[in-house]
Amino acid sequence: MYIKSKPNKLVAYKRIGLKMILNSPTDQQNARDEIFTRVRFYICSYAVHKYQTLGKGFIFVQSDSTLAELSLPVPTDSYGKMFRTQRFVLIHYLTLGEYDSELCRDDFELACVRDSLKGAVEGSDTNVNDDDVRKGYDERKEVVMLMRYRCGHLAVGVAPLAPDYNVCKSLGRDYFGSGENGSGALQLNLDDL
């Protein structure tokens, strides 16, 4: 779940149109990939850092912006107007136990992806077509993400760590420290990156 090249502005605006909506699953996937590409060094380092203390889990990415708004390379809508608020993603690292007790209890929509999420994190014996989901993720090579945006878009995915595990481990220690300093959520302002 990553993209190889940065989209130009024209392609990004053509994809969302004047209504600022991503209609096709391919466009939605490309938008998620582009967002991940912009924040992967932080997300992956954060995931590796949290894995060290909490064990296997996943990154929960959420935003007050829509997927279409976040997919744009600049903070301007299809009519050329600047967005009123800064575009950001809020990132938490959660175990499946925390997901069940904290998120699913309060938000039934998140419970809809539990089987996919469990399969990605721990592996699954259910009838899943994707072999990678059946065996679970490799924490030294991959990160599992649950993404939710203001437009209601919800997705589960597995992406490669970037940079590699040892670099992520070192960056995580440098960026997020240890103990209480390393326990909170991570907010990334996309317009500052």
Side-chain angles (χ1 to χ4, degrees):
M1 155 197 312
Y2 63 97
I3 193 157
K4 294 178 178 139
S5 65
K6 198 173 192 178
N8 66 37
K9 290 179 188 177
L10 181 61
V11 170
Y13 283 95
K14 184 177 178 183
R15 181 174 60 200
I16 64 166
L18 293 176
K19 293 184 179 180
M20 297 278 299
I21 297 172
L22 291 162
N23 288 315
S24 79
T26 301
D27 288 343
Q28 293 170 350
Q29 177 66 49
N30 289 339
R32 289 190 309 265
D33 290 348
E34 291 162 13
I35 293 165
F36 175 70
T37 298
R38 291 178 72 187
V39 298
R40 69 181 180 253
F41 290 102
Y42 301 101
I43 283 180
C44 292
S45 300
Y46 183 71
V48 168
H49 179 72
K50 292 303 210 170
Y51 169 76
Q52 308 263 321
T53 55
L54 298 174
K56 274 200 167 195
F58 64 94
I59 293 292
F60 179 40
V61 179
Q62 56 185 337
S63 180
D64 287 342
S65 298
T66 66
L67 181 60
E69 290 168 348
L70 291 175
S71 74
L72 296 172
V74 294
T76 306
D77 70 15
S78 294
Y79 293 97
K81 294 182 181 174
M82 295 288 288
F83 292 124
R84 290 186 177 144
T85 59
Q86 188 165 23
R87 299 175 305 158
F88 70 90
V89 290
L90 187 61
I91 299 159
H92 295 271
Y93 185 88
L94 300 168
T95 63
L96 284 175
E98 291 170 322
Y99 168 77
D100 288 337
S101 67
E102 296 174 23
L103 294 182
C104 290
R105 181 187 66 204
D106 297 331
D107 190 339
F108 73 93
E109 290 176 343
L110 288 174
C112 296
V113 296
R114 188 185 191 294
D115 290 342
S116 297
L117 190 58
K118 183 177 189 256
V121 173
E122 295 179 345
S124 174
D125 294 332
T126 60
N127 294 330
V128 178
N129 293 330
D130 187 351
D131 289 335
D132 289 336
V133 173
R134 249 185 256 132
K135 67 180 179 184
Y137 81 107
D138 180 350
E139 65 279 352
R140 297 184 72 77
K141 296 180 182 175
E142 300 166 314
V143 60
V144 175
M145 290 182 288
L146 169 61
M147 295 155 273
R148 180 176 65 178
Y149 303 101
R150 188 186 84 214
C151 56
H153 183 81
L154 190 63
V156 174
V158 180
L161 281 181
D164 71 27
Y165 181 81
N166 289 327
V167 175
C168 282
K169 187 175 175 182
S170 178
L171 288 173
R173 188 173 43 250
D174 292 345
Y175 288 154
F176 311 114
S178 60
E180 245 354 90
N181 294 335
S183 64
L186 176 63
Q187 181 175 322
L188 298 174
N189 297 323
L190 297 184
D191 302 321
D192 293 339
L193 300 176

